[in-house]
């Protein structure tokens, strides 16, 4: 067998040495301890690149909440902007913003100001990374995931409809059986007096059955279903509490952290109940975290206040492209996680057969040992949080869905450390791949895009 020649650009020392700090890591989130539930009156959109001013150390004072849905594109580093996160970790210190970032901010803001947004152009710009200081990642991600339509005139009605739908889901699915039973009992007393306003809209007598007793084992019993759900809810509670323990946004005893944990818990429980075929699988909390973090840190106060509902629908949309990876019955099918890992192995063989042979034939490192977590958790555990957001900018920008780009990024991760892998044995290589070293994310995404262009060519 004739081995494919490794392209010269793959052997460049650029990919095997630690790159100089280009400023990307300056956006790594640092824990904050402030808490807030603030809001501000929505003003007309300000469409201009943000000033390079550090974000406020504390949140603004509470004001009145706007009543009508409007999207405002504002600069979160502006001290007059509201910040519901208690720190807005994603923006970091913007004092070192590069000219490329400023240019990209201007392009994105200009695109978002159009009455009808050109999605192809938005994807092209966003795929290069959304500057952290722009405060528009929330809006761009909602567009990329199809939650917001390209026509801006439809945003208000679409958001109102979706948020109302989510409230209905919560009322239906998160209600404690005790409350359901109380309402049922109350409706019985109200049947004989239809004129009483408190009796209107409650369940009728015909809907009340003896099965609504806490000891009922009937399949339709809300109590029986409640006890069946308890195990999943306990798992969700444990995982939510463990989400990014180094970030005060997600973890700790602060009011902010507890509020965010409750919101994530609600989203995961509602998803599990609406998707009985998948329910909840450990690790879904890690995929949920970046979405909720970005939406809750939207500088527009109303958008941030509705982050839970917006995150739910975007989470559903994102997971729709990966749901088969979470279904154990499909693990060995052509759409399951093992098939996807095989595709990654084939991709590496196609672009770097020498490295593929060393890993899988010589040292016998099964890609499932490391790629399972890379793929199922969308690389959320391999890089720091800020770098993960940058990678997701690229993943979500792929018009064909994030999976293809994800596989190329995973392949690029192997190529970036090929010299160390080629010099290693089973033990050292497995350790290296399960604890991936810090990398220059711009270089990583460059290599991934290079793999795309080579495949096309």
């Amino acid at each position: 067998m004739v081995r494919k020649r490794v392209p010269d650009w793959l052997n460049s020392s650029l990919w095997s040495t630690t790159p100089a700090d280009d400023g990307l890591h300056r956006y790594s989130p640092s824990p904050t301890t402030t808490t807030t539930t603030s809001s501000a009156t929505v003003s007309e959109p300000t469409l201009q690149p943000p000033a390079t001013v550090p974000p406020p150390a504390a949140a603004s004072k509470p004001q009145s909440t706007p009543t009508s849905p409007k999207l405002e594109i504002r600069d979160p580093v502006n001290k007059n902007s509201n910040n519901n996160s208690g720190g807005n970790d994603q923006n970091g210190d913007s004092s070192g913003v590069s000219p490329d970032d400023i240019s990209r901010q201007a392009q994105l803001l200009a695109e978002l100001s159009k009455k009808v947004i050109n999605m192809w152009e938005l994807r092209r710009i966003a795929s290069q990374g959304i500057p952290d200081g722009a405060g528009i990642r929330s809006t761009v991600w909602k567009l990329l995931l199809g939650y917001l339509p390209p026509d801006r005139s439809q945003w208000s009605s679409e958001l109102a409809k979706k948020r109302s739908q989510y409230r209905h889901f919560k009322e239906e699915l998160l209600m404690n059986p005790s409350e359901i039973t109380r309402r049922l009992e109350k409706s019985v007393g109200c049947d004989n007096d239809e004129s009483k306003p408190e009796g209107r809209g409650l369940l009728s007598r015909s809907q009340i059955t003896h099965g609504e007793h806490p000891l009922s084992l009937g399949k339709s019993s809300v109590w029986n279903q409640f006890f069946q759900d308890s195990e999943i809810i306990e798992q969700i509670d444990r995982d939510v509490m463990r989400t990014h323990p180094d970030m005060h946004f997600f973890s700790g005893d602060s009011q902010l952290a507890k509020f965010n944990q409750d919101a994530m818990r609600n989203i995961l429980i509602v998803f599990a109940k609406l998707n009985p075929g998948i329910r909840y699988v450990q690790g879904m909390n890690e995929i949920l975290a970046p979405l909720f973090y970005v939406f809750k840190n939207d500088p527009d106060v109303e958008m941030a206040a509705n982050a839970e509902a917006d995150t739910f629908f975007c989470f559903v949309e994102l997971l729709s492209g990966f749901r088969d990876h979470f279904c154990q019955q499909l693990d060995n099918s052509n759409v399951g996680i093992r098939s996807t890992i095989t595709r990654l192995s084939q991709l590496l063989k196609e672009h770097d057969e020498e490295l593929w042979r060393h890993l899988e034939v010589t040292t016998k490192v099964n890609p499932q040992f490391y790629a399972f977590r890379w793929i199922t958790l969308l690389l959320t555990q391999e890089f720091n949080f800020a770098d993960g957001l940058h990678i997701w900018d690229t993943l979500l920008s792929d018009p064909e869905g994030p999976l293809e780009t994800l596989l190329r990024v995973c392949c690029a991760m192997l190529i970036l450390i090929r010299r160390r892998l080629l010099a290693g044995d089973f033990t050292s290589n497995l350790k290296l791949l399960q604890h991936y070293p810090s990398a220059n994310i711009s270089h990583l995404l460059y290599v991934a895009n290079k793999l795309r262009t080579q495949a096309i060519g």
Side-chain angles (χ1 to χ4, degrees):
M1 178 184 297
V2 179
R3 296 182 182 179
K4 292 185 179 180
R5 181 175 178 273
V6 178
D8 293 337
W9 65 271
L10 288 181
N11 287 316
S12 169
S13 60
L14 176 63
W15 316 126
S16 59
T17 57
T18 303
D21 183 7
D22 66 345
L24 287 175
H25 295 285
R26 69 177 180 275
Y27 298 122
S28 301
S30 57
T32 60
T33 57
T34 56
T35 61
T36 181
T37 54
S38 55
S39 59
T41 302
V42 177
S43 59
E44 289 300 315
T46 303
L47 302 174
Q48 59 183 8
T52 56
V53 181
S60 57
K61 297 181 180 179
Q63 299 176 14
S64 59
T65 303
T67 56
S68 59
K70 286 177 65 178
L71 175 69
E72 181 183 9
I73 304 171
R74 294 195 299 178
D75 176 16
V77 301
N78 186 322
K79 296 190 177 184
N80 293 324
S81 296
N82 182 53
N83 175 15
N84 287 278
S85 73
N88 205 351
D89 296 340
Q90 73 172 327
N91 295 312
D93 181 3
S94 58
S95 59
V97 176
S98 69
D100 287 343
D101 283 349
I102 295 175
S103 173
R104 211 155 48 244
Q105 286 179 17
Q107 293 178 62
L108 286 168
L109 289 168
E111 194 61 47
L112 291 176
S113 69
K114 296 179 179 178
K115 292 183 178 179
V116 179
I117 295 166
N118 183 330
M119 290 303 299
W120 184 91
E121 183 66 12
L122 185 72
R123 291 182 185 278
R124 183 191 68 79
I125 303 169
S127 67
Q128 303 169 40
I130 301 170
D132 296 276
I136 52 176
R137 180 176 271 126
S138 171
T139 304
V140 174
W141 279 17
K142 289 171 186 174
L143 284 160
L144 295 177
L145 287 166
Y147 181 59
L148 287 177
D151 188 344
R152 285 173 56 94
S153 66
Q154 299 177 10
W155 286 7
S156 294
S157 59
E158 286 295 318
L159 289 174
K161 180 176 69 175
K162 291 292 187 181
R163 290 165 181 173
S164 174
Q165 186 178 0
Y166 181 70
R167 285 193 296 272
H168 176 71
F169 287 155
K170 290 179 67 175
E171 291 170 358
E172 290 286 317
L173 303 174
L174 299 184
M175 186 181 297
N176 189 292
S178 297
E179 176 64 17
I180 296 177
T181 302
R182 187 190 67 78
R183 292 192 179 189
L184 291 172
E185 292 173 346
K186 185 177 179 181
S187 67
V188 173
C190 293
D191 277 343
N192 296 327
D193 190 358
E194 294 294 334
S195 63
K196 292 183 179 181
E198 61 267 25
R200 298 171 185 167
L202 297 175
L203 299 175
S204 63
R205 183 190 294 273
S206 62
Q207 293 173 284
I208 303 172
T209 67
H210 68 280
E212 302 313 326
H213 188 278
L215 298 181
S216 172
L217 298 178
K219 291 184 178 180
S220 61
S221 168
V222 293
W223 281 100
N224 185 36
Q225 186 63 48
F226 173 77
F227 291 127
Q228 289 182 7
D229 292 339
S230 294
E231 184 177 349
I232 291 177
I233 294 174
E234 289 174 3
Q235 181 65 60
I236 290 173
D237 285 338
R238 288 193 296 270
D239 289 351
V240 167
M241 293 293 289
R242 291 195 292 251
T243 304
H244 295 287
D246 57 331
M247 294 178 63
H248 287 189
F249 180 88
F250 295 105
S251 182
D253 296 327
S254 68
Q255 183 181 355
L256 166 70
K258 291 185 180 299
F259 178 88
N260 294 336
Q261 289 169 357
D262 287 344
M264 292 177 63
R265 178 181 184 274
N266 292 341
I267 293 170
L268 293 171
I269 293 174
V270 171
F271 177 86
K273 291 190 174 185
L274 289 176
N275 294 273
I278 300 178
R279 306 283 276 175
Y280 172 78
V281 178
Q282 190 171 13
M284 286 183 177
N285 60 302
E286 302 294 349
I287 298 176
L288 175 65
L291 290 171
F292 182 69
Y293 177 87
V294 168
F295 296 165
K296 189 62 181 173
N297 278 294
D298 193 309
D300 181 280
V301 61
E302 187 175 6
M303 287 293 189
N306 288 280
E308 182 179 329
D310 297 346
T311 301
F312 169 77
F313 287 103
C314 288
F315 176 71
V316 171
E317 178 61 30
L318 177 60
L319 223 58
S320 65
F322 298 95
R323 60 181 296 141
D324 293 336
H325 292 166
F326 292 96
C327 188
Q328 189 174 3
Q329 293 86 342
L330 297 176
D331 279 356
N332 295 316
S333 70
N334 59 358
V335 295
I337 182 62
R338 291 179 182 171
S339 175
T340 302
I341 292 175
T342 299
R343 290 176 58 193
L344 172 60
S345 174
Q346 294 171 344
L347 189 64
L348 178 62
K349 183 178 181 181
E350 176 185 346
H351 291 283
D352 193 340
E353 187 173 350
E354 179 185 10
L355 179 57
W356 170 85
R357 187 174 300 278
H358 180 76
L359 284 176
E360 300 193 26
V361 179
T362 305
T363 62
K364 300 188 183 304
V365 176
N366 189 322
Q368 290 188 29
F369 296 159
Y370 59 90
F372 181 88
R373 186 177 73 180
W374 290 9
I375 294 171
T376 56
L377 300 187
L378 308 189
L379 300 175
T380 57
Q381 301 300 291
E382 315 313 317
F383 303 97
N384 69 46
F385 195 80
D387 286 344
L389 297 182
H390 190 176
I391 292 173
W392 275 36
D393 292 338
T394 301
L395 297 183
L396 300 182
S397 298
D398 193 327
E400 299 177 357
L403 181 57
E404 297 303 319
T405 298
L406 175 63
L407 292 178
R408 283 190 291 269
V409 173
C410 290
C411 185
M413 289 169 64
L414 297 169
I415 292 173
L416 277 174
I417 55 174
R418 70 185 309 271
R419 291 188 179 183
R420 295 175 64 178
L421 292 172
L422 289 173
D425 57 12
F426 172 86
T427 302
S428 61
N429 283 347
L430 185 60
K431 182 178 180 180
L432 180 62
L433 293 170
Q434 290 183 341
H435 301 84
Y436 195 82
S438 60
N440 184 308
I441 302 303
S442 294
H443 291 167
L444 172 63
L445 296 177
Y446 170 82
V447 176
N449 188 59
K450 194 82 172 179
L451 299 180
R452 177 204 293 268
T453 56
Q454 284 199 336
I456 294 176

